[in-house]
Amino acid sequence: MPVATYVRDHVGRLYRVGETDVEVSGRSRRAVLWAAWAAMLAAGIGQYGFGALIPQLQGRWSVPELFWALALWTVCQAGTAFPAAWLRQQGRLTPTGAMWIGALLCGAGLLTLGQGQLVGYSVLGGIGAGLVYSTCLGTVVRWYPERVTRKVAFVSAAFPYGAVPFVIAAGFFFGDGFLLQAAVVVTVVVAVAGILMKDPPEHWWPPHIPPREWALDRARVPNRAALKDFRTREAVQCGTFWWLYGGVAFAAAVSLYDLAYLPLFVGDRTLGAVALAILAAATGTGRVLVGWISDRVGRRKALVWTLVTGGLAQFVLLYSQNVVGLVIGATLAGFGTGCCYSLLVGVTREYFGETNGAQNFGVLYTAKAVGALIAAVVLASQGPAFAFVAAGVLGLAGAVLTGHLSQPGRPRL
């Protein structure tokens, strides 16, 4: 039976080495990765799939009411990340328990929407998706400490990917029983995935990678380790924290506006569903791609580039005169505004440390809720022309804010 040993690198980080993933948990970490991917695939329907339902739900509710329902769903989803991380840190919530609760709530959200209850969809579905999102990312981070950003990008990409078949099906086959069937599928997929979710021991490190050599190599790449482990109350006192918070909030506002209004702006129900499916697919693909790019050019540069792309995409959508322009605009919007979330975990750990990384991420992730409120108040009350221009300005403003990012305590140059 292998015996775990502990080693430290040149900056004092602790590693538990000598045990394989199978030896510490009875299963391969790859199985956990794919379980998290499948769960995110199902849970993302609540956000990215809702936009496809807006044209079908207009007969019952007005567009502002539907937009506020999506905004409230986002507030509940983003607001769940910090308390979920805190409960897991305290040992009061297991990954499997969180996934099972999330499965029931995600299914209940879709079911109540089918019964004509917008608040039920927003609150139950939002909290459920937040539990699944934070649990999946938090577990994958623990199992892949040597490749955090790439694996987080891979798993978070499933969140919009799952909506692609849902959006297409809703555009062509929406009718009685559609949301009931979706609720059953989402509940079963997330619950089964939850069975495989289990955390490794604290500080666990894969035995086939020498941790000290890895740490030395990492010191020479654009994304260097944080100078210290910041507690949450210390992190929020840093200017960098708020530059990042504002950038994520503006990106979230633009992303949610696109989700809700793109099908309406297009006008044609079928074409609107296709445009939304392209947006979701581009978001998922962009999250994987930007994770790979950020390893080479740095997280800050990659984050700025994505926000610039998302902001410019709004003007492409506004002035598109044909299907080709619409496809290009939707693709750029997906690549831009939705990709910041896949970088947020890596940026948080590399700027504020890894010991309290989950809780610091949870607080930063609430910027998505602020973005939802901005979108609902500023954008949803205006016409398409003003809203697309305002969304473009917000996206570019987010790029300016994130351009000021620097590691706390480290000189900028």
Side-chain angles (χ1 to χ4, degrees), residues 263-337:
L264 298 176
F265 179 71
V266 172
D268 181 80
R269 172 177 167 179
T270 302
L271 185 57
V274 172
L276 199 56
I278 291 171
L279 177 75
T283 300
T285 304
R287 290 186 180 190
V288 176
L289 182 62
V290 79
W292 179 81
I293 292 174
S294 69
D295 283 340
R296 285 154 176 78
V297 303
R299 312 276 182 245
R300 183 182 66 83
K301 287 184 180 179
L303 188 57
V304 171
W305 291 351
T306 59
L307 293 179
V308 169
T309 301
L312 294 177
Q314 307 308 307
F315 299 99
V316 176
L317 287 170
L318 177 61
Y319 294 108
S320 60
Q321 301 294 323
N322 49 45
V323 175
V324 175
L326 177 66
V327 169
I328 294 174
T331 302
L332 292 175
F335 275 129
T337 55

Side-chain angles (χ1 to χ4, degrees), residues 78-165:
T80 303
F82 176 76
W86 184 83
L87 289 172
R88 289 189 64 186
Q89 188 78 14
Q90 300 297 316
R92 300 180 182 180
L93 185 66
T94 65
T96 299
M99 293 289 285
W100 285 352
I101 296 172
L104 292 175
L105 291 177
C106 285
L110 291 172
L111 188 62
T112 54
L113 180 61
Q115 299 299 315
Q117 300 294 326
L118 277 181
V119 175
Y121 150 77
S122 300
V123 176
L124 298 178
I127 294 175
L131 281 171
V132 175
Y133 193 97
S134 61
T135 302
C136 289
L137 294 191
T139 304
V140 167
V141 164
R142 290 174 172 88
W143 278 114
Y144 287 89
E146 83 284 14
R147 286 181 286 172
V148 167
T149 300
R150 289 195 188 186
K151 295 306 179 183
V152 165
F154 173 75
V155 172
S156 67
F159 205 65
Y161 273 152
V164 174

Side-chain angles (χ1 to χ4, degrees), residues 181-201:
Q181 297 171 16
V184 171
V185 172
V186 169
T187 303
V188 171
V189 171
V190 176
V192 172
I195 299 174
L196 297 175
M197 302 299 285
K198 182 179 180 180
D199 286 334

Side-chain angles (χ1 to χ4, degrees), residues 317-400:
L317 287 170
L318 177 61
Y319 294 108
S320 60
Q321 301 294 323
N322 49 45
V323 175
V324 175
L326 177 66
V327 169
I328 294 174
T331 302
L332 292 175
F335 275 129
T337 55
C339 293
C340 67
Y341 303 118
S342 62
L343 296 174
L344 189 57
V345 173
V347 171
T348 302
R349 291 164 64 87
E350 288 158 8
Y351 280 23
F352 304 109
E354 301 179 4
T355 302
N356 303 296
Q359 294 184 47
N360 291 339
F361 169 78
V363 176
L364 279 168
Y365 195 65
T366 62
K368 183 178 180 181
V370 175
L373 297 177
I374 294 174
V377 173
V378 177
L379 303 181
S381 59
Q382 306 296 329
F386 173 87
F388 272 116
V389 171
V393 171
L394 285 177
L396 297 176
V400 172

